[in-house]
Amino acid sequence: MVRLSSRLWLGIAAVLALAILGYALVRPRASLSTTPAKAAQIASNTASSVSSAADWVMEGANPARTRSRSESIALPINRQYDMRIAEDKGVGSPVAIANNTIFVDAEHRLRALDLRSGQERWSFSEVGQYVSPAVAGDTVFIRAESANKGQIFALDLRTGAQRWAFTPRLISSPSSSYWGGHLTSPVVADGVVFVGSGNQLYALDAATGAKRWEYSAADLVASSATVGDGRVFISDLNHVYAIDQHTGALAWKTPTQFAIYFSPIVANRTVFLTNGDNILALSTADGTKRWETGIAGEILRPGAVQGSRIFVKSTSTLYALDLTTGKELWQYDHPGFVSFPAIAGTQLFTVAGSEGQAGLLVLDVQTGKPILTQPVARLAAAAPVIAGQTLYVRTTDGRVVGLFN
């Protein structure tokens, strides 16, 4: 009965996700061109601040998945730079940015574009769906999965040439109704790529793809991994696991209620994750509960951490909670939906809206009050990302848009 209930929850979440993202399936319009003037604008604005710690190198921005940085962006961000992505309908993952290059997954293909000119440098094709790429040094790591087959690929950042590929032992299959066990988005820390598949967590050498260690969970993996405080955190159907980052040994595991899992977040010696409908905060050292909080009628997901606050979301509401107590500090409600946030200093950026009418919203981190609403034509629901002094969003007509002051 537990598994039947779990799949029912998954179905409900999938319906909600389709409702939110449905507008991304509209027929694309003619694309906007990247003019030399626009290229010059973006180059002068970002050339001195990309390819640095300000890059957004993987889903969640960093191995701890905090989706934040300390430096704010100069507002207003009303100057716009468009990059056209061939064969794209805006339904992919948030982009990754590193070394003056933006990486976009679109229609079974990863594309690498020059951040200054918007011109495509290379593309990599493989059957399957991609999750946001991760970049470390001069290598790009991606996953591709189709049915019950898939691989992790390591690509040369400059040329797109394949360096190595890793095939996991098991990927979710018809026997499990394709619930859980999917190949997860890669996270890279200290020269190691961590990825889940089946009921395994793999640690792969980033340079060679050789397996350093693997850990077997009790059930199919349900979340992508997060790395912090020397440990790797991942969830299956019934538990959250803390695995030693270097040895693969189990540090601790704690029972959790089933949820549509998203990557945990690590900050302040605490791991934050979804537990049923609630947000659960556990000590990274031993798994003891620090706090747990929920909102009646809401399914909460950890979104970002900045300073003394953790930001969590439901379908249409963002909440700021005290990092150490879980006490609600503010909430922002929207009649449509809100995306996962990206935070720069005192600014929280989110895509908010309804079908065909989404816009970029900027909230004050301290108060939750709107600072700025920035319209973007055909804005997709993918979360925004930040590099240098520019914010990047995806559209439903095949563009990545850079917004800057």
Side-chain angles (χ1 to χ4, degrees):
M1 292 297 293
V2 171
R3 187 173 294 280
L4 179 61
S5 173
S6 302
R7 291 174 182 162
L8 179 59
W9 273 104
L10 184 61
I12 292 170
V15 170
L16 288 173
L18 287 173
I20 293 170
L21 296 172
Y23 70 92
L25 301 178
V26 297
R27 184 177 180 179
R29 300 187 302 184
S31 64
L32 299 181
S33 61
T34 303
T35 66
K38 287 181 179 178
Q41 284 181 338
I42 197 75
S44 64
N45 184 262
T46 64
S48 63
S49 54
V50 298
S51 302
S52 68
D55 285 350
W56 195 282
V57 296
M58 66 185 72
E59 169 59 22
N62 50 57
R65 312 281 197 182
T66 61
R67 295 188 180 90
S68 68
R69 69 176 205 189
S70 59
E71 181 187 3
S72 296
I73 290 178
L75 297 177
I77 47 174
N78 51 13
R79 298 167 72 188
Q80 182 171 317
Y81 169 66
D82 295 358
M83 289 172 279
R84 183 71 171 93
I85 311 300
E87 302 174 352
D88 183 32
K89 296 180 181 178
V91 295
S93 307
V95 301
I97 298 173
N99 293 354
N100 299 314
T101 308
I102 186 164
F103 303 92
V104 188
D105 60 313
E107 295 297 310
H108 309 289
R109 184 178 293 271
L110 179 74
R111 298 185 184 277
L113 285 75
D114 184 275
L115 195 61
R116 296 186 179 97
S117 69
Q119 298 302 306
E120 183 174 300
R121 290 180 172 176
W122 53 260
S123 68
F124 179 81
S125 177
E126 179 62 33
V127 175
Q129 298 295 323
Y130 295 102
V131 174
S132 289
V135 184
D138 63 354
T139 308
V140 184
F141 305 91
I142 60 172
R143 53 80 79 182
E145 176 183 337
S146 179
N148 63 335
K149 296 181 180 180
Q151 290 181 298
I152 293 290
F153 295 95
L155 310 176
D156 183 278
L157 186 149
R158 186 178 60 84
T159 66
Q162 181 179 316
R163 290 181 168 172
W164 55 258
F166 174 80
T167 304
R169 183 183 311 151
L170 174 69
I171 295 179
S172 188
S173 68
S175 63
S176 63
S177 299
Y178 291 106
W179 182 90
H182 294 285
L183 199 52
T184 64
S185 63
V187 57
V188 190
D190 301 326
V192 180
V193 182
F194 300 96
V195 63
S197 181
N199 67 330
Q200 307 298 123
L201 172 65
Y202 297 98
L204 308 175
D205 186 278
T208 67
K211 184 173 63 176
R212 292 194 177 182
W213 54 258
E214 68 178 84
Y215 179 84
S216 296
D219 211 321
L220 295 175
V221 167
S223 77
S224 296
T226 297
V227 182
D229 294 343
R231 287 173 180 168
V232 186
F233 302 91
I234 201 162
S235 297
D236 67 9
L237 174 63
N238 296 306
H239 296 88
V240 58
Y241 298 82
I243 312 299
D244 186 278
Q245 177 181 344
H246 303 291
T247 67
L250 176 67
W252 53 263
K253 72 175 183 179
T254 298
T256 57
Q257 297 180 38
F258 173 77
I260 306 303
Y261 284 115
F262 291 82
S263 301
I265 294 176
V266 175
N268 195 36
R269 298 180 301 282
T270 307
V271 56
F272 304 91
L273 66 149
T274 301
N275 183 37
D277 294 350
N278 297 343
I279 293 294
L280 176 64
L282 303 174
S283 165
T284 56
D286 57 15
T288 55
K289 186 196 296 189
R290 298 193 188 278
W291 53 262
E292 183 173 2
T293 191
I295 307 293
E298 298 274 54
I299 300 175
L300 300 181
R301 303 159 187 169
V305 166
Q306 179 73 300
S308 61
R309 289 168 165 78
I310 177 170
F311 303 89
V312 304
K313 71 174 288 294
S314 63
T315 300
S316 59
T317 305
L318 282 167
Y319 299 90
L321 309 178
D322 184 273
L323 197 67
T324 58
T325 67
K327 178 183 177 181
E328 183 180 324
L329 302 175
W330 56 255
Q331 69 178 68
Y332 178 86
D333 298 297
H334 195 280
F337 71 90
V338 290
S339 73
F340 280 96
I343 297 178
T346 59
Q347 307 151 346
L348 182 151
F349 300 86
T350 184
V351 174
S354 56
E355 183 175 342
Q357 297 180 335
L360 181 67
L361 179 66
V362 187
L363 303 179
D364 183 276
V365 163
Q366 300 294 322
T367 66
K369 294 181 178 179
I371 300 172
L372 176 70
T373 300
Q374 182 66 43
V376 178
R378 299 223 177 175
L379 187 60
V385 306
I386 304 165
Q389 283 289 304
T390 304
L391 189 90
Y392 297 89
V393 292
R394 300 189 69 163
T395 71
T396 61
D397 60 351
R399 292 173 293 134
V400 173
V401 178
L403 299 165
F404 57 99
N405 181 265

